[in-house]
């Protein structure tokens, strides 16, 4: 069974932080492949700021073209919208029963994970790799599995596998900052 990482996002636009993290994850974890899953629209973000989905997908393809075992995916483009990760993971399992999927998220998303639709289902059924984010000068993961479970009111047994990628690099860049510097929100 191949282990596939799912690194989802708007990639609006894709930048060297996305690419650097993707390269590090594929080189330093047990994943066989990492799919950068371009989301047509994130239900937790305003839709009006997104560049066209095909443009974002093309940008991801170009940015990762030289990284072995890292692929761009438009899998969510054919799913109902908005895109919810739990639904996407279910559909991925149906389409690729020979794969085991691992969700790759930033610690900023872990902090709001309880706002995700069916987050308990995701936690119980999928491995989750959490990478550090350099947000407001606060780099590094501050939580451990037990702290996360306690804060979320979940028993540790309700979580399949939560792996904190503490050695993953942080990048002082964001798509939001890039859009602002270009005069786009």
């Amino acid at each position: 069974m191949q282990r596939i990482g799912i690194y989802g996002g708007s990639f609006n636009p894709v930048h060297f932080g996305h690419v650097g993290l993707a390269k590090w994850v594929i080189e330093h974890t047990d994943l066989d492949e990492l799919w950068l899953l371009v989301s047509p629209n994130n239900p937790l973000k305003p839709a009006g700021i997104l560049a066209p989905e095909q443009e974002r997908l093309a940008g991801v393809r170009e940015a990762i073209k030289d990284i072995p075992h890292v692929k761009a995916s438009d899998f969510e483009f054919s799913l109902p919208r908005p895109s919810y990760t739990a639904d996407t993971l279910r559909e991925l399992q149906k389409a690729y029963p020979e794969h085991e999927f691992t969700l790759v998220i930033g610690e900023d998303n872990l902090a709001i994970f309880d706002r995700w639709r069916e987050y308990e289902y995701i936690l119980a059924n999928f491995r989750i790799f959490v990478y550090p984010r350099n947000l407001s000068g606060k780099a590094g993961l501050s939580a451990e599995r037990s702290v996360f479970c306690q804060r979320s009111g979940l028993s540790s047994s309700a979580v399949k596998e939560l792996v904190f990628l503490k050695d993953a690099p942080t990048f002082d860049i964001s798509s939001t900052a890039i859009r602002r510097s270009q005069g786009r929100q």
Side-chain angles (χ1 to χ4, degrees):
M1 182 166 284
Q2 274 200 312
R3 289 185 164 185
I4 308 297
I6 299 299
Y7 178 18
S10 301
F11 302 105
N12 187 43
V14 65
H15 54 68
F16 69 82
H18 297 128
V19 175
L21 180 68
K23 187 174 181 187
W24 187 93
V25 167
I26 203 63
E27 291 174 354
H28 293 92
T29 68
D30 64 355
L31 297 176
D32 297 305
E33 289 183 353
L34 180 65
W35 297 356
L36 275 65
L37 195 73
V38 180
S39 176
N41 64 315
N42 180 328
L44 297 177
K45 292 184 179 179
I49 63 170
L50 290 176
E53 60 194 34
Q54 291 297 333
E55 182 180 309
R56 292 181 286 121
L57 178 64
V60 170
R61 284 188 174 135
E62 178 64 24
I64 63 170
K65 69 182 179 190
D66 296 326
I67 306 172
H69 310 290
V70 177
K71 302 178 187 309
S73 174
D74 63 356
F75 188 82
E76 285 191 329
F77 290 11
S78 63
L79 298 180
R81 299 179 188 193
S83 306
Y84 293 104
T85 302
D87 297 333
T88 299
L89 290 169
R90 279 190 190 93
E91 293 301 318
L92 282 165
Q93 283 185 312
K94 286 181 199 171
Y96 303 98
E98 71 281 8
H99 296 332
E100 176 188 356
F101 293 100
T102 298
L103 188 60
V104 179
I105 64 171
E107 66 178 317
D108 54 330
N109 276 309
L110 185 64
I112 61 165
F113 206 71
D114 60 345
R115 290 176 46 200
W116 289 31
R117 180 182 278 188
E118 296 184 74
Y119 73 94
E120 290 114 336
Y121 164 78
I122 298 169
L123 288 167
N125 292 285
F126 298 91
R127 294 189 318 159
I128 301 177
F129 288 175
V130 183
Y131 60 88
R133 292 290 309 264
N134 188 8
L135 304 169
S136 305
K138 299 176 185 173
L141 294 164
S142 57
E144 294 294 337
R145 176 190 173 110
S146 60
V147 173
F148 169 75
C149 291
Q150 183 179 25
R151 189 183 75 232
S152 302
L154 299 167
S155 73
S156 193
S157 63
V159 178
K160 179 173 181 170
E161 188 175 352
L162 190 59
V163 178
F164 291 91
L165 305 174
K166 293 182 180 183
D167 295 327
T170 59
F171 300 92
D172 194 18
I173 188 167
S174 72
S175 295
T176 302
I178 292 171
R179 287 192 310 275
R180 283 185 185 142
S181 73
Q182 297 171 341
R184 303 178 315 164
Q185 177 34 13

